[in-house]
């Protein structure tokens, strides 16, 4: 089974918000992503609602028929309430600060272990699969196993930025982290800065990869290739790299 493609639609909301109206229509874009083959939709609402608004999450929950994944920092009670009210298929916990441009590190699963265990229990009790964002370090994967999380999402920025100068070295820590996660019974997602150049190799090197969430590059590619072709191109990378 190739890893599943979840399209992060934050950038669509950013574009919509630039003019204050409803163009592009976020819900329609999500439905079209599904129609074009995406196997999931990801949103990352931030407390200031600068791209995805809380109301968007409720509207999307009504219509999405593939996997709905909500990302965010559970230190915000508003976020926890939103997730428990909308019951997505998966919640991805990310330790970003309020005004951070984008996520830039994984959890310290050792120093935050007790906290993570508690918050993960809350979501799992509500029937939501939980994934936590981590850097590809063995100690962080071992720590993650102690939190009760179902999955980890490997933070792939370091892989993506080193890919063109030496992909073997770039992927090596991710392969080790993935092996450790599999040995500990944890599922593996990946995301951040994945694109049409670096996706296939990551997928090939990590056979246990369950899901990738991709936003920025996919939306940029859609400017040139169109959304339907772009989603098909990403799916092809995942299929043909096995
Ligand atoms: N995963 C997480 C936790 C993220 O915060 C983001 C960006 O919102 C992504 C994946 C997607 O990253 P990109 O937009 O670079 O594809």
């Amino acid at each position: 089974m190739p890893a599943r493609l979840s399209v992060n639609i934050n950038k669509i909301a950013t574009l919509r918000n630039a003019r204050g109206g409803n163009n592009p229509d976020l819900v329609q874009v999500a439905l079209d992503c599904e129609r074009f083959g995406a196997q999931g939709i990801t949103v990352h609402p931030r407390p200031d609602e600068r791209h995805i608004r809380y109301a968007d999450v409720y509207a999307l929950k009504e219509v999405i028929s593939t996997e709905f994944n909500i990302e965010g920092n559970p230190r915000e009670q508003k976020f926890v309430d939103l997730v428990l009210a909308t019951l997505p298929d998966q919640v991805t916990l990310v330790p970003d600060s309020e005004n951070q441009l984008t996520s830039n590190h994984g959890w310290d699963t050792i120093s935050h272990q007790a906290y993570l265990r508690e918050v993960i229990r809350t979501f799992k009790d509500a029937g939501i699969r939980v994934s936590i964002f981590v850097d590809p370090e063995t100690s962080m994967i071992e720590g993650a196993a102690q939190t009760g999380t179902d999955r980890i999402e490997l933070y792939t920025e370091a892989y993506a930025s080193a890919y063109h100068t030496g992909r073997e070295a770039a992927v090596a820590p991710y392969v080790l982290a993935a092996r450790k996660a599999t040995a500990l019974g944890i599922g593996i997602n990946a995301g951040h800065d994945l694109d049409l150049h670096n996706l296939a190799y990551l997928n090939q090197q990590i056979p246990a990869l369950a899901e990738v969430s991709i936003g920025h590059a996919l939306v940029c590619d859609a400017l040139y290739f169109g959304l339907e072709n772009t989603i098909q191109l990403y799916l092809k990378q995942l299929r043909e790299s096995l």
Side-chain angles (χ1 to χ4, degrees):
M1 273 278 283
R4 296 165 74 79
L5 173 66
S6 184
V7 175
N8 178 317
I9 58 172
N10 273 27
K11 286 279 152 25
I12 306 297
T14 305
L15 187 58
R16 175 200 59 192
N17 296 353
R19 280 293 171 95
N22 193 35
N23 191 22
D25 179 333
L26 187 80
V27 166
Q28 189 58 51
V29 172
L31 290 173
D32 288 334
C33 286
E34 291 185 317
R35 196 160 54 87
F36 299 151
Q39 293 132 332
I41 300 293
T42 291
V43 293
H44 192 150
R46 292 215 156 71
D48 59 6
E49 302 189 75
R50 64 181 182 269
H51 27 61
I52 296 291
R53 300 177 186 136
Y54 280 41
D56 292 328
V57 181
Y58 285 94
L60 288 163
K61 169 64 188 179
E62 289 299 306
V63 297
I64 286 175
S65 58
T66 59
E67 183 200 275
F68 190 30
N69 175 43
I70 306 181
E71 299 174 348
N73 192 333
R75 296 229 181 252
E76 286 287 331
Q77 189 55 41
K78 252 171 56 168
F79 174 80
V80 175
D81 294 344
L82 176 74
V83 173
L84 292 176
T86 50
L87 298 177
D89 302 286
Q90 176 175 271
V91 62
T92 300
L93 307 181
V94 184
D96 56 354
S97 57
E98 180 161 346
N99 294 316
Q100 210 164 291
L101 193 57
T102 183
S103 320
N104 64 0
H105 61 279
W107 288 97
D108 181 333
T109 59
I110 296 166
S111 63
H112 294 139
Q113 197 165 100
Y115 166 72
L116 283 169
R117 194 180 300 129
E118 187 186 317
V119 74
I120 287 168
R121 172 57 42 216
T122 303
F123 291 126
K124 284 178 72 164
D125 283 349
I128 304 166
R129 185 172 73 225
V130 182
S131 179
I132 60 175
F133 198 50
V134 292
D135 294 302
E137 290 170 28
T138 305
S139 60
M140 292 300 118
I141 312 300
E142 286 166 347
Q146 300 300 316
T147 66
T149 195
D150 300 296
R151 292 191 186 180
I152 48 166
E153 179 180 325
L154 292 171
Y155 174 40
T156 45
E157 190 277 334
Y159 164 71
S161 60
Y163 178 83
H164 291 287
T165 48
R167 64 184 195 173
E168 291 82 5
V171 86
Y174 292 85
V175 171
L176 288 179
R179 278 194 199 132
K180 175 59 79 180
T182 301
L184 293 169
I186 308 174
I188 305 161
N189 296 341
H192 228 286
D193 299 292
L194 295 176
D195 63 22
L196 284 174
H197 302 285
N198 60 37
L199 178 61
Y201 186 65
L202 183 81
N203 188 48
Q204 184 193 81
Q205 296 297 310
I206 305 181
L209 192 59
E211 178 182 303
V212 288
S213 73
I214 307 183
H216 186 80
L218 189 150
V219 172
C220 294
D221 289 333
L223 294 175
Y224 286 89
F225 306 130
L227 189 55
E228 180 166 11
N229 286 330
T230 300
I231 289 176
Q232 287 299 316
L233 287 170
Y234 276 83
L235 290 171
K236 189 163 182 276
Q237 294 295 314
L238 291 169
R239 255 193 334 266
E240 294 185 358
S241 52
L242 284 183

